[in-house]
C-alpha cells in the first residue's frame, strides 16, 4: 500500500519530529530596536553563495510551517511577503484596504492575510511575552497605521523605481532599498521579509528557543483544523469521530478531515496538491452519511507523515527525477542507497557506473540477504487541476528489481555509430554528476519516443511513455509496440537533417536502443532476436534494412562522397520500409549501374560492395532456382522497426569498417616507406575493439 510505505518512510526518517518547522528563504530583514523603531533606514539584504561560487539572493532559515491550508486570507507566522507584512500591494505598492473599512462588504484576501499575520504575532506575544514579538508589534503600531480606510506604511525604503535592464527597461517596479545608495535594492514582488531585533533574526533555528516551543504546541490546532474561514485566534477542532486508521491500523486516533500538509514538488502544481482529497459540495465524495476524510479514514499524524515523506522525496535530487509532466520517486526500506542508486542508473546511465553496479550491486553497503528481503518502492506522480495523480505505483523485492535492471541494460545495448575515441578531448571530462544523461538514460529514451514540432517543443515528454519505460526497467514489462510509430516517424523526418550536432540527428544511439528493446520485449516465439551488433539472420525485414544501407554506400562511393542532393535513402526510405516490393527491384538496378562505374575507378571497392549486396540478397529465398529475390509486399509496424534496426546496424558496421581499413592503409603505406606504422595501427586496433566486430579485430590482428 503506497500510503503505508510513505508513512513508514516518514517514521524511519523522523519527518514528523519537526513538522511545525520548515526551511524557508528570506530575502531581506527589517532591522528593529527593542522598542520597535527602525535601526536602519533601509532593509538588510540577505544572500548566500551557490554551488558555482556566485552570490544568490536569499538565505535559508528554520521558520514556522504554513498553518493549515491557504484557502485565501491566511499567512505564515514570523515572515511573509509585502501584503501581509507591510499592507502594500506587491506589484504596485498601493495600500490595501484596512480590516473592516467597508462595513457592507467582507474583507478581501489581502486584508485578511494582513490581519491574520499580525494577529498571530499578537497571540504569540500574549502567550509568551517574548520581547522580540513586542518589538514587532511596536513596529506595526509605529509604521503601519490606518488612514482613510487603507493601511499606510510609513517606510521610506519601499518605493517605485524604473527598471534599469531587461526587456522592460524603464518600466516602474516596486522595490525595497537594501543600502544607503540608490543602486542597492530588491524587487518586492517575489520577496519574503522577516525581522531582526537588536541584531538577531527572529527565526526558529535555535531548538531551545521558547518561541519554537510555543509554535510546536500551537501548530497542531491550526494545521489539522477544519478548512473554514478562521482568524488566527480560532482553533477549529478536527472531526471528533475516531475510528480505524487505514494506514497504520491504529484506533482511537483523530481522523483527518482533509490530508495536510500539501505535497510540494510535483510538476505543474506550484502551490502543491493532494493524493487524497475531498469536496464538501460533491456527493460523489461522500457515502453512508460520512463527510470529508471520514469516507476514507486516515489519522491526522498518518496523513501528515505520508505528505511529508513525498515532499521530502520530491525535494531530494538523488531520489526523484522530473521528466516533463511526471515526477518519479524511488526508495528502499532497509537499503538507504538503493533508491538513489536506481535513480542515478536509470536517469544518468553512465556505463562505468552501470558496469560497477552489475558486478556487485550496493557493494560494501549491504549484505546479500538484505537484497533478498528488502523491497524497492517507485511511484510516478503527475498533476491534474490541483490534485496529484498516481500514474503508477511499484512495490517489489529489491533483488527482483536488480535482476530486471540487468535484463533491461542487456536488451538496450547496441553498437554506437561513433566510437568514444572519436569524440573531442578538448573539453576536459568532469565528474559524472555534472555530465548530461548518457544515450541509454530514460530521459533520452523518452525524448526519442516523441514526434517533435515547433509547437510542442523538443523537451516535451509524454508521461505515459516515461512510466512505460520505468516499468520496463524495474518490472520487466514490455513497452507498447505502438511506441514504435512516433520513433520511426521522427527517424524518417530526421533523415534529411543528418547532423550529429543537432538533436534531430537520426542515428542517435538512444533511438535504436529503444527500438531494439521494444522488439525484444514484444518478440513472439521463433521471431528475429535483435543483438547489439550486426546480426547474421534470415529475417527479411532486417536484411531489407541492411540492403538499403549498402545501396546508400554504393551511391556515396559512386559520387565520391561529395554532396549529391537527395539520395536513395531520402527518396525511398519511407516506401522501402513499408512496401519493399515496390522499390527494391528499382534500387537493385540502380546499384548495378553505380557499381559498373565504381569498378572502373576502384575494382577492390566495387568487389567489396558487390559482395555485400550478394551476401544479403542470398538471404532472400527466391520462388525457384535462378529466379530474382522475392521481396515482401508490405511490412507491419514491428517489421518496420526491424527494418530500421538493420539499416542502422549495417550503417554502423560500414562506418567502423571504414575507420579500421583507412587506418590500416595508412599503416601499410608507412611500413612500405620504412616508417613506423604504430600510430595508425593503434587507432585501427582501438576502433576495432571499441566497436567490437570480430572480423575487424581479426583483420587488425593479422596485419
Amino acid at each position: 500500500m503506497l500510503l503505508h510505505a510513505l508513512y513508514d518512510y516518514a517514521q524511519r526518517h523522523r519527518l514528523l519530529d519537526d513538522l511545525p518547522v520548515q526551511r524557508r528563504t528570506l530575502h531581506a530583514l527589517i532591522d528593529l530596536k527593542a522598542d520597535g523603531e527602525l535601526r536602519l533606514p533601509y532593509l538588510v539584504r540577505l544572500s548566500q553563495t551557490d554551488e558555482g561560487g556566485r552570490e544568490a539572493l536569499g538565505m535559508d532559515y528554520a521558520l514556522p510551517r504554513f498553518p493549515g491550508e491557504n484557502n485565501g486570507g491566511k499567512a505564515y507566522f514570523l515572515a511573509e511577503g509585502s501584503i501581509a507584512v507591510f499592507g502594500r500591494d506587491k506589484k504596485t505598492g498601493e495600500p490595501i484596504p484596512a480590516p473592516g473599512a467597508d462595513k457592507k462588504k467582507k474583507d478581501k484576501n489581502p486584508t485578511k492575510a494582513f490581519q491574520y499575520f499580525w494577529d498571530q504575532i499578537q497571540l504569540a506575544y500574549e502567550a509568551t511575552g517574548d520581547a522580540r514579538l513586542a518589538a514587532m508589534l511596536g513596529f506595526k503600531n509605529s509604521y503601519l497605521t490606518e488612514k482613510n480606510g487603507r493601511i499606510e506604511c510609513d517606510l521610506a525604503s519601499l518605493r517605485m523605481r524604473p527598471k534599469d535592464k531587461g526587456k522592460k527597461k524603464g518600466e516602474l517596479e516596486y522595490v525595497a532599498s537594501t543600502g544607503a545608495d540608490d543602486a542597492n535594492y530588491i524587487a518586492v514582488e517575489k520577496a519574503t521579509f522577516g525581522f531582526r531585533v537588536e541584531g538577531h533574526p527572529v527565526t526558529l533555528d535555535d531548538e531551545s528557543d521558547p518561541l519554537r516551543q510555543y509554535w510546536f504546541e500551537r501548530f497542531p490546532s491550526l494545521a489539522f483544523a477544519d478548512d473554514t474561514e478562521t482568524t488566527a485566534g480560532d482553533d477549529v477542532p478536527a472531526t471528533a469521530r475516531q475510528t480505524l486508521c487505514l494506514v497504520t491500523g491504529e484506533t482511537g486516533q483523530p481522523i483527518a478531515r482533509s490530508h495536510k500538509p500539501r505535497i510540494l514538488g510535483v510538476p505543474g502544481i506550484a502551490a502543491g496538491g493532494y493524493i487524497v482529497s475531498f469536496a464538501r459540495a460533491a456527493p460523489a465524495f461522500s457515502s453512508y452519511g460520512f463527510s470529508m476524510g471520514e469516507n476514507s479514514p486516515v489519522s491526522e499524524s498518518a496523513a501528515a507523515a505520508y505528505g511529508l515523506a513525498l515532499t521530502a522525496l520530491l525535494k531530494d535530487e538523488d531520489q526523484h527525477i522530473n521528466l516533463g509532466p511526471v515526477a518519479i520517486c524511488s526508495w528502499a526500506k532497509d537499503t538507504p542507497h538503493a533508491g538513489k542508486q536506481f535513480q542515478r542508473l536509470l536517469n544518468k546511465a553512465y556505463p562505468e557506473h552501470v558496469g560497477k553496479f552489475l558486478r556487485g550491486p550496493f557493494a560494501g553497503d549491504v549484505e546479500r540477504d538484505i537484497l533478498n528481503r528488502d523491497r524497492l518502492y517507485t511511484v510516478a506522480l503527475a498533476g491534474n487541476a490541483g490534485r496529484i495523480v498516481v500514474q503508477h505505483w511499484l512495490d517489489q523485492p529489491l533483488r527482483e528489481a536488480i535482476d530486471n535492471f540487468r535484463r533491461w541494460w542487456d536488451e538496450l545495448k547496441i553498437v554506437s555509430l561513433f566510437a568514444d575515441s572519436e569524440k573531442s578531448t578538448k573539453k576536459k571530462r568532469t565528474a559524472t554528476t555534472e555530465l548530461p544523461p548518457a544515450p541509454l538514460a530514460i530521459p533520452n529514451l523518452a525524448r526519442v519516443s516523441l514526434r517533435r514540432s515547433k509547437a510542442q517543443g523538443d523537451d516535451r515528454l509524454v508521461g505515459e511513455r516515461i512510466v512505460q519505460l520505468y516499468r520496463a526497467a524495474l518490472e520487466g514489462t514490455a513497452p507498447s509496440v505502438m511506441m514504435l510509430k512516433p520513433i520511426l516517424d521522427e527517424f524518417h523526418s530526421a533523415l534529411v537533417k543528418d547532423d550529429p550536432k543537432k538533436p534531430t540527428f537520426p542515428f542517435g544511439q538512444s533511438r535504436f536502443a529503444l527500438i531494439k528493446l521494444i522488439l525484444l520485449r514484444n518478440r513472439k516465439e521463433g521471431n528475429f532476436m535483435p543483438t547489439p551488433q550486426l546480426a547474421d539472420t534470415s529475417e527479411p525485414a532486417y536484411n531489407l534494412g541492411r540492403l538499403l544501407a549498402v545501396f546508400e554506400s554504393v551511391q556515396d562511393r559512386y559520387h565520391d562522397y561529395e554532396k549529391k542532393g537527395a539520395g536513395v535513402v531520402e527518396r525511398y526510405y519511407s516506401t522501402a520500409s513499408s512496401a519493399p516490393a515496390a522499390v527494391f527491384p528499382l534500387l537493385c538496378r540502380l546499384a548495378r549501374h553505380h557499381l559498373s562505374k565504381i569498378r572502373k575507378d576502384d575494382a577492390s571497392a566495387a568487389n567489396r560492395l558487390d559482395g555485400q549486396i550478394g551476401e544479403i540478397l542470398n538471404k532472400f529465398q527466391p520462388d525457384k532456382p535462378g529466379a530474382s529475390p522475392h521481396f515482401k509486399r508490405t511490412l507491419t509496424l514491428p517489421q518496420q522497426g526491424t527494418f530500421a534496426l538493420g539499416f542502422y546496424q549495417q550503417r554502423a558496421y560500414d562506418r567502423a569498417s571504414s575507420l579500421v581499413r583507412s587506418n590500416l592503409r595508412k599503416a601499410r603505406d608507412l611500413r612500405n616507406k620504412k616508417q613506423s606504422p604504430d600510430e595508425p595501427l593503434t587507432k585501427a586496433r582501438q576502433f576495432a575493439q571499441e566497436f567490437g566486430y570480430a572480423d575487424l579485430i581479426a583483420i587488425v590482428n593479422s596485419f
Side-chain angles (χ1 to χ4, degrees):
M1 182 180 178
L2 171 60
L3 300 188
H4 181 77
L6 290 169
Y7 173 80
D8 183 67
Y9 181 91
Q11 293 296 316
R12 287 171 176 267
H13 291 80
R14 304 180 65 87
L15 298 181
L16 282 171
D17 290 1
D18 292 322
L19 174 60
V21 177
Q22 67 181 135
R23 303 297 296 183
R24 293 182 62 208
T25 301
L26 296 184
H27 302 94
L29 296 175
I30 305 161
D31 198 17
L32 303 178
K33 300 177 183 177
D35 60 1
E37 294 296 312
L38 292 174
R39 296 180 70 196
L40 296 171
Y42 49 82
L43 306 188
V44 178
R45 180 192 184 97
L46 298 174
S47 63
Q48 55 192 349
T49 304
D50 62 17
E51 294 180 355
R54 294 165 297 188
E55 183 185 28
L57 179 64
M59 187 173 291
D60 293 341
Y61 290 96
L63 288 165
R65 186 179 293 277
F66 197 87
E69 299 300 332
N70 186 10
N71 294 326
K74 293 185 180 180
Y76 281 94
F77 180 45
L78 297 183
E80 253 292 358
S82 167
I83 292 173
V85 175
F86 302 122
R88 290 289 186 97
D89 184 274
K90 60 185 179 181
K91 291 184 179 180
T92 66
E94 292 293 321
I96 66 171
D102 191 339
K103 304 297 183 181
K104 297 181 180 180
K105 297 181 179 179
K106 290 184 177 180
D107 291 332
K108 294 185 177 180
N109 284 339
T111 301
K112 291 178 183 177
F114 175 81
Q115 184 176 17
Y116 192 97
F117 178 83
W118 288 106
D119 282 351
Q120 286 186 95
I121 304 299
Q122 181 67 45
L123 288 168
Y125 172 68
E126 293 173 359
T128 64
D130 193 289
R132 295 165 295 177
L133 301 179
M136 292 172 65
L137 291 172
F139 165 82
K140 177 180 182 291
N141 294 331
S142 298
Y143 297 97
L144 306 178
T145 58
E146 181 181 344
K147 184 177 181 181
N148 298 325
R150 298 275 174 173
I151 300 296
E152 291 294 331
C153 178
D154 188 19
L155 289 179
S157 57
L158 299 175
R159 57 196 171 88
M160 298 299 293
R161 183 186 189 281
K163 294 182 179 180
D164 53 10
K165 58 183 178 180
K167 294 182 179 180
K168 298 182 179 180
K169 184 177 180 180
E171 184 178 306
L172 292 178
E173 67 173 338
Y174 194 39
V175 302
S177 297
T178 56
D181 58 85
D182 187 60
N184 291 302
Y185 64 91
I186 62 171
V188 167
E189 183 176 357
K190 297 182 180 179
T192 300
F193 302 96
F195 290 84
R196 187 169 77 176
V197 178
E198 294 294 344
H200 300 287
V202 185
T203 67
L204 303 183
D205 288 275
D206 184 357
E207 294 188 3
S208 62
D209 191 332
L211 194 56
R212 183 182 173 107
Q213 181 180 353
Y214 159 80
W215 182 247
F216 269 68
E217 294 172 354
R218 170 76 174 162
F219 180 78
S221 63
L222 295 174
F224 301 121
D226 193 6
D227 292 330
T228 58
E229 289 191 4
T230 67
T231 64
D234 291 335
D235 291 345
V236 182
T239 176
R241 188 185 296 275
Q242 297 179 349
T243 185
L244 176 70
C245 172
L246 296 179
V247 174
T248 65
E250 297 176 348
T251 58
Q253 298 293 317
I255 297 303
R257 287 175 58 79
S258 60
H259 294 191
K260 309 164 187 174
R262 289 176 185 253
I263 297 164
L264 304 174
V266 176
I269 312 181
Y274 309 94
I275 286 180
V276 181
S277 61
F278 309 93
R280 295 187 186 90
F285 287 91
S286 301
S287 59
Y288 299 102
F290 295 118
S291 65
M292 300 288 290
E294 296 168 6
N295 289 274
S296 180
V298 175
S299 67
E300 291 174 346
S301 61
Y306 85 71
L308 289 173
L310 261 186
T311 296
L313 289 166
L314 288 163
K315 189 177 181 180
D316 189 338
E317 293 183 358
D318 288 332
Q319 292 192 271
H320 96 282
I321 184 72
N322 285 352
L323 294 171
V326 176
I328 299 179
C329 304
S330 298
W331 72 100
K333 189 174 182 179
D334 297 317
T335 313
H337 303 300
K340 297 180 180 181
Q341 184 77 294
F342 275 108
Q343 289 293 80
R344 188 180 303 114
L345 296 175
L346 291 172
N347 301 308
K348 296 296 185 180
Y350 302 132
E352 57 269 34
H353 287 175
V354 175
K356 181 179 178 182
F357 173 80
L358 293 179
R359 287 191 296 271
F362 314 116
D365 295 329
V366 295
E367 298 177 357
R368 185 176 298 275
D369 62 330
I370 296 180
L371 297 181
N372 293 326
R373 71 170 183 262
D374 200 3
R375 305 190 71 80
L376 178 72
Y377 305 104
T378 302
V379 61
L381 307 169
N384 182 15
R387 290 181 172 84
I388 296 173
V389 179
V390 178
Q391 292 205 337
H392 187 67
W393 153 240
L394 173 64
D395 172 4
Q396 67 179 152
L398 182 56
R399 170 63 68 185
E400 183 180 311
I402 294 171
D403 292 341
N404 287 334
F405 175 76
R406 187 188 305 275
R407 179 186 163 208
W408 155 271
W409 186 256
D410 288 341
E411 292 178 345
L412 278 177
K413 283 181 182 176
I414 192 167
V415 66
S416 173
L417 201 65
F418 299 99
D420 287 340
S421 53
E422 291 182 273
K423 297 175 182 176
S424 173
T425 57
K426 292 180 181 178
K427 192 172 183 180
K428 188 176 180 181
R429 184 179 174 93
T430 57
T432 52
T433 52
E434 302 174 17
L435 295 173
L440 302 188
I442 280 186
N444 288 326
L445 296 174
R447 286 189 177 93
V448 299
S449 72
L450 301 179
R451 286 284 283 144
R452 301 176 186 176
S453 68
K454 291 182 180 179
Q456 292 174 328
D458 284 351
D459 293 330
R460 180 178 175 272
L461 302 179
V462 175
E464 177 192 354
R465 291 176 185 162
I466 297 166
V467 173
Q468 280 194 51
L469 293 175
Y470 261 86
R471 294 191 62 191
L474 298 178
E475 285 187 83
T477 58
S480 170
V481 72
M482 294 307 298
M483 196 184 291
L484 285 172
K485 184 69 168 63
I487 298 173
L488 297 175
D489 287 346
E490 179 63 19
F491 172 59
H492 179 225
S493 65
L495 279 172
V496 295
K497 304 171 184 176
D498 191 350
D499 184 352
K501 295 181 180 179
K502 294 183 179 180
T504 55
F505 177 60
F507 297 102
Q509 192 178 5
S510 306
R511 174 176 281 117
F512 292 94
L514 184 54
I515 291 174
K516 175 174 174 277
L517 175 80
I518 294 171
L519 292 175
L520 278 171
R521 294 286 171 97
N522 291 279
R523 185 178 67 91
K524 296 180 181 178
E525 192 66 30
N527 282 6
F528 165 61
M529 179 180 284
T531 58
Q533 296 169 320
L534 191 65
D536 184 10
T537 176
S538 60
E539 167 60 36
Y542 185 82
N543 289 318
L544 286 168
R546 289 186 60 194
L547 192 57
L548 183 63
V550 177
F551 286 159
E552 182 185 33
S553 296
V554 171
Q555 189 178 53
D556 287 342
R557 184 67 182 83
Y558 175 82
H559 291 284
D560 202 19
Y561 303 102
E562 294 181 358
K563 187 175 180 181
K564 58 184 182 298
V568 293
V569 171
E570 291 84 357
R571 289 176 182 271
Y572 299 112
Y573 183 90
S574 179
T575 306
S577 63
S578 57
V583 72
F584 270 96
L586 170 64
L587 294 177
C588 286
R589 293 194 296 271
L590 187 61
R592 284 198 296 270
H593 168 70
H594 287 156
L595 283 171
S596 64
K597 179 181 181 297
I598 296 172
R599 190 167 279 108
K600 296 176 183 178
D601 300 328
D602 189 341
S604 63
N607 291 336
R608 180 172 54 81
L609 292 169
D610 198 12
Q612 281 186 301
I613 294 172
E615 180 261 329
I616 297 172
L617 285 177
N618 284 337
K619 297 179 182 297
F620 293 91
Q621 297 296 326
D623 293 333
K624 56 184 178 180
S628 300
H630 177 70
F631 301 115
K632 293 178 70 70
R633 291 177 61 85
T634 59
L635 297 181
T636 63
L637 183 59
Q639 288 172 336
Q640 290 176 37
T642 305
F643 180 100
L645 195 62
F647 178 73
Y648 170 80
Q649 290 184 316
Q650 181 66 52
R651 208 175 192 270
Y653 173 82
D654 290 344
R655 193 171 190 281
S657 178
S658 175
L659 288 169
V660 171
R661 293 176 189 277
S662 65
N663 278 284
L664 287 179
R665 283 195 298 271
K666 292 177 183 177
R668 189 176 294 109
D669 291 342
L670 289 172
R671 189 168 63 183
N672 291 338
K673 296 177 182 179
K674 302 189 181 303
Q675 297 178 15
S676 173
D678 289 350
E679 184 178 347
L681 185 59
T682 300
K683 286 186 178 180
R685 182 174 291 108
Q686 187 175 11
F687 286 135
Q689 291 174 346
E690 284 191 38
F691 286 112
Y693 295 106
D695 60 331
L696 298 181
I697 294 173
I699 292 173
V700 174
N701 290 339
S702 65
F703 179 79

